[in-house]
Amino acid sequence: MDWQPDEQGLQQVLQLLKDSQSPNTATQRIVQDKLKQLNQFPDFNNYLIFVLTRLKSEDEPTRSLSGLILKNNVKAHYQSFPPPVADFIKQECLNNIGDASSLIRATIGILITTIASKGELQMWPELLPQLCNLLNSEDYNTCEGAFGALQKICEDSSELLDSDALNRPLNVMIPKFLQFFKHCSPKIRSHAIACVNQFIMDRAQALMDNIDTFIEHLFALAVDDDPEVRKNVCRALVMLLEVRIDRLIPHMHSIIQYMLQRTQDHDENVALEACEFWLTLAEQPICKEVLASHLVQLIPILVNGMKYSEIDIILLKGDVEEDEAVPDSEQDIKPRFHKSRTVTLPHEAERPDSSEDAEDDDDDDALSDWNLRKCSAAALDVLANVFREELLPHLLPLLKGLLFHPEWVVKESGILVLGAIAEGCMQGMVPYLPELIPHLIQCLSDKKALVRSIACWTLSRYAHWVVSQPPDMHLKPLMTELLKRILDGNKRVQEAACSAFATLEEEACTELVPYLSYILDTLVFAFGKYQHKNLLILYDAIGTLADSVGHHLNQPEYIQKLMPPLIQKWNELKDEDKDLFPLLECLSSVATALQSGFLPYCEPVYQRCVTLVQKTLAQAMMYTQHPEQYEAPDKDFMIVALDLLSGLAEGLGGHVEQLVARSNIMTLLFQCMQDSMPEVRQSSFALLGDLTKACFIHVKPCIAEFMPILGTNLNPEFISVCNNATWAIGEICMQMGAEMQPYVQMVLNNLVEIINRPNTPKTLLENTAITIGRLGYVCPQEVAPMLQQFIRPWCTSLRNIRDNEEKDSAFRGICMMIGVNPGGVVQDFIFFCDAVASWVSPKDDLRDMFYKILHGFKDQVGEENWQQFSEQFPPLLKERLAAFYGV
């Protein structure tokens, strides 16, 4: 007997569906309450499916909405549906998947895949066979509806479909889908490709068995009239390039020709899918060989794709020049993520790492959706990195025409091209830069805001070269113009200029010192001018300035300019406001740079950080005990506060002692060090190390409690946590001296294991080596017996570190350990020699220690053996050891 609704109940449900389409929030609230009530009745879901599948008298949006409410119920508590209800819903779905309305078919498809993904694919064995069977229907709607449902199931459950759990249905499904590549309806062809595409990346066996048929069928559809089909063909080829390039190589020439055409498709969605092909190809080892002869066609196509489309310009309000007075809408502001502190060592000739800038590849954030312009620019960027200078003969003739073009849209795209190739083609561009940079600086005052903003970005990509020239040549004019742009009337230009200036600061470092007064005037003026979103970027520019010029910022005149507006913002913001993150990061850099100059401001800043940590810990505690009553805290508040406390300890040094004495920070730190979230522990250990250096008197009483926690966190699975814990242990050694002895065994084995692990990141290796050296320095008797187990990786990881305090103490430690256990170094002595030679100017007593060990070894083995031994040295090493130590 089929279920039938009660007429009165049905009217109630329909009324509810009508009300829920009302824009009024009060009505919406009533609807939500009513839904909760109705969900108490087990057969309420029967009414919902009934409206969706049977009530053809109602309008489509109402029927579809009924299905979507049912889908949410399935998501939330399908497990508690009574079996007759669940069966009725499943049966109705399968019986009505061929509804005349495409909206209703799609809704039923969504409902089916939702039930299937609730673990029901196993419990609904007839689903796949029946849907596959319906594909054979003469009725278009039934075939299309079934395909739509199958496509959604393939998207949601691709892994399960390729597993033994279901007896490998793909063995039947994939050959079936392939038959429909030739169907007369474009919608069905498109579904069929989309279904198969779901299984490419996971290399499903059933697809791999049919791979040649699949590729053949794709080629047959290459010139399909339907854009959706062409888009899916392009998507398939891009994925195959990653997964089965072996199968494409024989056809590569014609695939490239095809993709060149598709990248110019009049349908932008097709062009975008095709453009991804170049991005993927650039990552393949064969890229250079297969693409070189096609560059002459490809480069102009990519360049052409980099122009703003008319739609972009409308969306970007490209004709609005002044909008600085318009407040930002909150959804425009992307969430920022705080990067917790990681302690690193200075290297030889260190340059800012360019990999971090990889994501700033284009500056139209407002169009953060991926589009043809961005994809073309990204493709040109990666290809420039593959082909380097070989790209330029195809580009330079075009560039000239673009950069000086009377139409601003064309000129703008030329500036973007110039920025996109900056990384890959830098060497080849150098001869043209003396002429190009002044032209770009001129573009900073173009009348079009979008030209001014892209010029900011492109100039920042050449900042390294600008800084390498005499400052009056380009640095000074560039800085002067960028500072004007920071005060531009257009918000997008302000943002681009601020970001570009931050990049320039990183490259120029102390070269900016002569202009500090002028720079600070501009940045402080911007404070009063900026809307919400750009203020956050301004904090970053100020923090980067402090990092770049360091103690040069500590002048009364500069402090007077900079601190009042920062403190004013600080006082305006509430403890719950996420804008505190960038401001705290900024203040952390400023405090570290100003050192004692920050003293007048440190008390309120310190107190507030402690409060933030305390509040977050308390909230976390309440949430753990009563998760139903309290919300989980946002631990970022605590992390950022711990990092600013580190900045204060580092900047103020001994002056932080009274602040620590008057607060419960050590108790809080004890809790933070045991937090479940790695980033919290990471920042806690950084602060512990900084407090150890600044005021050990307050850390010492806690050492017995802290050391076991540090020992457990020497786990390289969490690289940054492990790194900071290692560094803190090293700092504690230096303060504890011989009293470190009871704790050596807690940490030594883990440290030795880490330094011998393959693929350990460089930073962690260096910090581990320093800490092992420091442990040996204070407790040589305890550590020296293990010398042989770590001496080789110890030497190789410290040879590239610059001379500094940390390196000094570590090498003293190694010398003392060699004194206790000379046999431990014999087999790897050449590595020790190499590490010693990496010192440029060791302190006299350390040089003495080196001298004694080298000569002791030489005397021990005898002249002849030493001759043979030193034959293995590279010439440079031989020279340095002879010159410095006479061996």
Side-chain angles (χ1 to χ4, degrees):
M1 167 61 198
D2 220 4
W3 178 87
Q4 287 300 326
D6 162 71
E7 193 46 47
Q8 197 186 345
L10 188 60
Q11 288 316 312
Q12 234 185 326
V13 172
L14 286 171
Q15 191 50 51
L16 179 76
L17 291 167
K18 292 276 185 287
D19 290 345
S20 68
Q21 293 172 58
S22 142
N24 180 336
T25 35
T27 316
Q28 284 299 334
R29 223 168 277 130
I30 298 166
V31 167
Q32 287 309 318
D33 293 342
K34 187 85 182 154
L35 269 175
K36 273 201 183 112
Q37 284 172 345
L38 288 172
N39 267 318
Q40 303 307 310
F41 298 103
D43 67 350
F44 171 49
N45 292 305
N46 284 359
Y47 282 89
L48 291 174
I49 189 82
F50 186 87
V51 175
L52 173 67
T53 58
R54 307 248 188 125
L55 218 54
K56 315 266 183 189
S57 53
E58 280 302 317
D59 61 275
E60 288 177 19
T62 303
R63 288 171 61 200
S64 173
L65 183 65
S66 181
L68 294 174
I69 291 174
L70 175 54
K71 175 208 76 163
N72 290 338
N73 283 348
V74 167
K75 242 191 170 131
H77 28 88
Y78 184 71
Q79 271 58 36
S80 54
F81 282 21
V85 174
D87 290 342
F88 181 62
I89 294 172
K90 290 175 176 176
Q91 173 201 328
E92 283 300 295
C93 283
L94 283 172
N95 291 345
N96 294 280
I97 190 72
D99 193 282
S101 143
S102 64
L103 176 65
I104 302 299
R105 292 199 298 273
T107 310
I108 295 176
I110 290 172
L111 189 51
I112 289 177
T113 188
T114 309
I115 295 173
S117 58
K118 291 302 273 185
E120 282 292 302
L121 261 179
Q122 287 98 319
M123 308 299 295
W124 193 358
E126 68 275 20
L127 172 65
L128 294 171
Q130 281 199 318
L131 285 176
C132 285
N133 218 3
L134 292 171
L135 296 182
N136 301 330
S137 163
E138 295 292 306
D139 173 49
Y140 168 78
N141 291 340
T142 306
C143 178
E144 197 278 323
F147 240 136
L150 280 166
Q151 184 179 332
K152 294 183 183 84
I153 293 169
C154 292
E155 283 166 13
D156 293 341
S157 311
S158 63
E159 281 179 29
L160 188 58
L161 290 171
D162 189 29
S163 68
D164 285 328
L166 297 177
N167 212 350
R168 305 238 168 232
L170 288 188
N171 294 339
V172 179
M173 289 164 68
I174 287 201
K176 179 107 191 157
F177 295 153
L178 288 172
Q179 293 168 7
F180 283 88
F181 278 39
K182 300 196 162 80
H183 196 277
C184 58
S185 148
K187 186 108 196 252
I188 303 244
R189 293 198 296 274
S190 184
H191 277 314
I193 311 171
C195 283
V196 181
N197 281 358
Q198 292 306 321
F199 302 102
I200 299 177
M201 293 312 285
D202 291 335
R203 298 182 162 82
Q205 194 51 51
L207 177 55
M208 294 301 127
D209 295 342
N210 289 283
I211 194 81
D212 292 331
T213 318
F214 176 44
I215 292 174
E216 227 169 275
H217 283 38
L218 284 175
F219 289 167
L221 292 176
V223 287
D224 202 283
D225 297 335
D226 184 78
E228 200 56 32
V229 173
R230 293 198 303 274
K231 187 178 95 178
N232 280 327
V233 170
C234 289
R235 184 171 291 171
L237 288 169
V238 171
M239 291 190 285
L240 287 168
L241 192 57
E242 242 179 276
V243 175
R244 288 305 305 261
I245 192 164
D246 57 310
R247 281 288 176 262
L248 298 186
I249 285 175
H251 315 284
M252 197 51 89
H253 179 76
S254 40
I255 292 175
I256 288 175
Q257 285 301 327
Y258 173 65
M259 285 297 185
L260 286 168
Q261 281 177 311
R262 286 291 72 83
T263 309
Q264 309 171 75
D265 201 286
H266 47 266
D267 184 302
E268 181 170 334
N269 293 321
V270 179
L272 178 56
E273 281 297 337
C275 195
E276 296 277 355
F277 181 83
W278 313 113
L279 268 179
T280 307
L281 184 58
E283 287 164 8
Q284 305 299 325
I286 62 156
C287 175
K288 228 173 161 166
E289 159 197 347
V290 297
L291 202 53
S293 60
H294 301 279
L295 287 180
V296 59
Q297 292 162 283
L298 175 59
I299 300 302
I301 295 172
L302 290 178
V303 168
N304 195 38
M306 287 163 75
K307 289 203 294 277
Y308 277 124
S309 67
E310 283 166 28
I311 308 259
D312 291 342
I313 295 170
I314 295 165
L315 288 175
L316 287 171
K317 307 191 173 59
D319 46 353
V320 178
E321 287 304 315
E322 284 225 3
D323 59 358
E324 64 174 350
V326 183
D328 295 330
S329 72
E330 286 309 303
Q331 66 262 35
D332 284 348
I333 298 173
K334 290 215 224 89
R336 287 181 75 269
F337 298 103
H338 171 69
K339 242 177 112 211
S340 314
R341 264 173 102 93
T342 313
V343 187
T344 54
L345 296 167
H347 284 85
E348 282 311 320
E350 192 160 28
R351 272 214 54 221
D353 183 16
S354 62
S355 62
E356 294 175 57
D357 313 331
E359 67 276 356
D360 60 8
D361 233 39
D362 193 347
D363 75 332
D364 8 329
D365 278 335
L367 280 190
S368 53
D369 355 339
W370 195 231
N371 56 21
L372 185 60
R373 167 186 165 91
K374 292 194 157 178
C375 191
S376 305
L380 189 60
D381 185 351
V382 290
L383 289 171
N385 277 298
V386 172
F387 285 96
R388 304 278 166 187
E389 283 58 65
E390 295 167 39
L391 213 59
L392 293 178
H394 306 290
L395 258 177
L396 291 172
L398 295 173
L399 260 176
K400 200 110 186 168
L402 297 172
L403 288 171
F404 298 93
H405 200 282
E407 276 178 62
W408 74 267
V409 179
V410 181
K411 175 166 153 186
E412 193 277 345
S413 73
I415 300 173
L416 173 58
V417 168
L418 202 52
I421 60 168
E423 202 188 327
C425 303
M426 181 59 87
Q427 280 328 100
M429 287 307 294
V430 167
Y432 307 98
L433 293 179
E435 186 185 343
L436 279 174
I437 297 296
H439 175 62
L440 286 171
I441 292 174
Q442 226 178 332
C443 294
L444 285 175
S445 44
D446 193 276
K447 57 182 196 303
K448 275 305 202 190
L450 288 171
V451 174
R452 298 199 297 278
S453 63
I454 199 67
C456 291
W457 177 73
T458 293
L459 280 160
S460 75
R461 301 267 291 177
Y462 289 96
H464 184 67
W465 181 83
V466 167
V467 171
S468 71
Q469 305 298 300
D472 286 354
M473 293 273 296
H474 305 292
L475 178 62
K476 212 168 155 186
L478 172 57
M479 194 183 58
T480 315
E481 282 308 310
L482 265 183
L483 289 171
K484 288 185 196 156
R485 289 296 66 82
I486 285 178
L487 303 179
D488 201 279
N490 179 280
K491 291 194 289 193
R492 164 181 303 282
V493 179
Q494 294 171 357
E495 177 185 358
C498 247
S499 302
F501 196 70
T503 306
L504 185 64
E505 289 169 339
E506 285 176 353
E507 290 287 355
C509 294
T510 48
E511 299 265 346
L512 296 178
V513 173
Y515 318 108
L516 266 174
S517 180
Y518 180 39
I519 294 172
L520 287 170
D521 285 339
T522 304
L523 297 178
V524 169
F525 191 75
F527 255 110
K529 188 177 168 76
Y530 277 13
Q531 297 293 342
H532 186 176
K533 180 181 175 188
N534 287 350
L535 256 184
L536 306 183
I537 299 165
L538 181 62
Y539 293 142
D540 181 52
I542 292 172
T544 309
L545 179 67
D547 294 338
S548 303
V549 300
H551 64 91
H552 296 285
L553 198 57
N554 189 7
Q555 299 290 335
E557 157 201 12
Y558 301 152
I559 296 175
Q560 221 19 66
K561 289 179 197 251
L562 181 59
M563 288 310 295
L566 283 176
I567 294 297
Q568 187 195 339
K569 285 287 173 210
W570 170 262
N571 292 330
E572 282 169 18
L573 293 175
K574 297 193 181 53
D575 280 352
E576 298 66 57
D577 193 328
K578 288 210 162 123
D579 283 8
L580 272 175
F581 298 169
L583 178 55
L584 283 157
E585 285 175 31
C586 168
L587 278 170
S588 180
S589 296
V590 169
T592 310
L594 289 185
Q595 300 174 343
S596 59
F598 198 77
L599 271 174
Y601 309 97
C602 65
E603 178 104 31
V605 172
Y606 180 90
Q607 286 310 336
R608 185 170 196 177
C609 287
V610 174
T611 308
L612 282 169
V613 174
Q614 200 152 8
K615 276 187 174 176
T616 312
L617 284 171
Q619 206 183 331
M621 183 83 117
M622 311 243 270
Y623 172 70
T624 316
Q625 289 166 355
H626 308 284
E628 66 295 333
Q629 289 173 26
Y630 295 98
E631 284 202 5
D634 181 343
K635 288 190 179 170
D636 271 356
F637 284 100
M638 172 157 77
I639 295 167
V640 181
L642 289 165
D643 286 348
L644 176 46
L645 288 168
S646 281
L648 287 175
E650 194 182 329
L652 299 174
H655 296 294
V656 85
E657 189 272 322
Q658 298 117 349
L659 295 170
V660 174
R662 295 199 296 272
S663 70
N664 61 341
I665 187 65
M666 297 316 293
T667 320
L668 297 173
L669 198 50
F670 182 61
Q671 288 174 269
C672 293
M673 286 164 51
Q674 300 175 77
D675 197 273
S676 58
M677 186 175 177
E679 290 78 5
V680 175
R681 301 200 301 278
Q682 174 183 340
S683 292
S684 313
F685 296 136
L687 176 55
L688 176 61
D690 283 317
L691 289 175
T692 299
K693 287 170 83 165
C695 54
F696 189 61
I697 168 174
H698 296 297
V699 178
K700 193 169 183 183
C702 314
I703 288 296
E705 286 186 297
F706 284 8
M707 281 310 298
I709 302 174
L710 284 162
T712 12
N713 278 282
L714 295 177
N715 168 9
E717 203 182 322
F718 300 105
I719 293 293
S720 302
V721 179
C722 182
N723 180 65
N724 289 5
T726 304
W727 174 73
I729 293 168
E731 290 300 336
I732 290 168
C733 286
M734 297 313 288
Q735 302 289 340
M736 289 283 281
E739 290 178 63
M740 195 68 191
Q741 195 259 326
Y743 308 109
V744 173
Q745 292 318 315
M746 276 181 199
V747 298
L748 184 58
N749 287 332
N750 285 350
L751 292 169
V752 172
E753 196 176 319
I754 291 166
I755 204 167
N756 283 295
R757 267 178 88 236
N759 303 329
T760 305
K762 209 168 72 203
T763 312
L764 179 54
L765 281 177
E766 292 161 359
N767 273 318
T768 306
I770 296 280
T771 295
I772 291 175
R774 289 180 154 188
L775 267 175
Y777 178 58
V778 295
C779 301
Q781 297 295 339
E782 280 68 27
V783 187
M786 298 193 66
L787 197 52
Q788 200 179 342
Q789 295 176 44
F790 60 75
I791 184 73
R792 180 187 276 202
W794 190 95
C795 291
T796 45
S797 57
L798 290 187
R799 65 189 297 273
N800 299 322
I801 302 290
R802 255 189 263 164
D803 295 7
N804 66 4
E805 279 307 306
E806 278 149 326
K807 184 169 174 174
D808 179 90
S809 53
F811 270 84
R812 287 171 193 274
I814 220 73
C815 291
M816 292 175 71
M817 289 188 274
I818 292 174
V820 174
N821 176 17
V825 73
V826 171
Q827 286 179 319
D828 297 303
F829 200 69
I830 186 167
F831 290 94
F832 176 73
C833 295
D834 180 53
V836 166
S838 75
W839 277 89
V840 180
S841 45
K843 292 187 181 144
D844 290 344
D845 57 337
L846 180 60
R847 182 192 296 253
D848 250 4
M849 292 165 116
F850 292 157
Y851 184 90
K852 288 192 177 116
I853 292 174
L854 292 169
H855 280 271
F857 185 84
K858 184 177 170 177
D859 299 343
Q860 191 71 39
V861 297
E863 188 63 43
E864 195 180 327
N865 287 336
W866 177 261
Q867 278 310 315
Q868 278 182 320
F869 175 67
S870 57
E871 281 307 304
Q872 310 163 35
F873 291 177
L876 194 65
L877 175 56
K878 229 181 190 158
E879 242 166 77
R880 290 192 75 153
L881 289 177
F884 285 107
Y885 302 101
V887 291

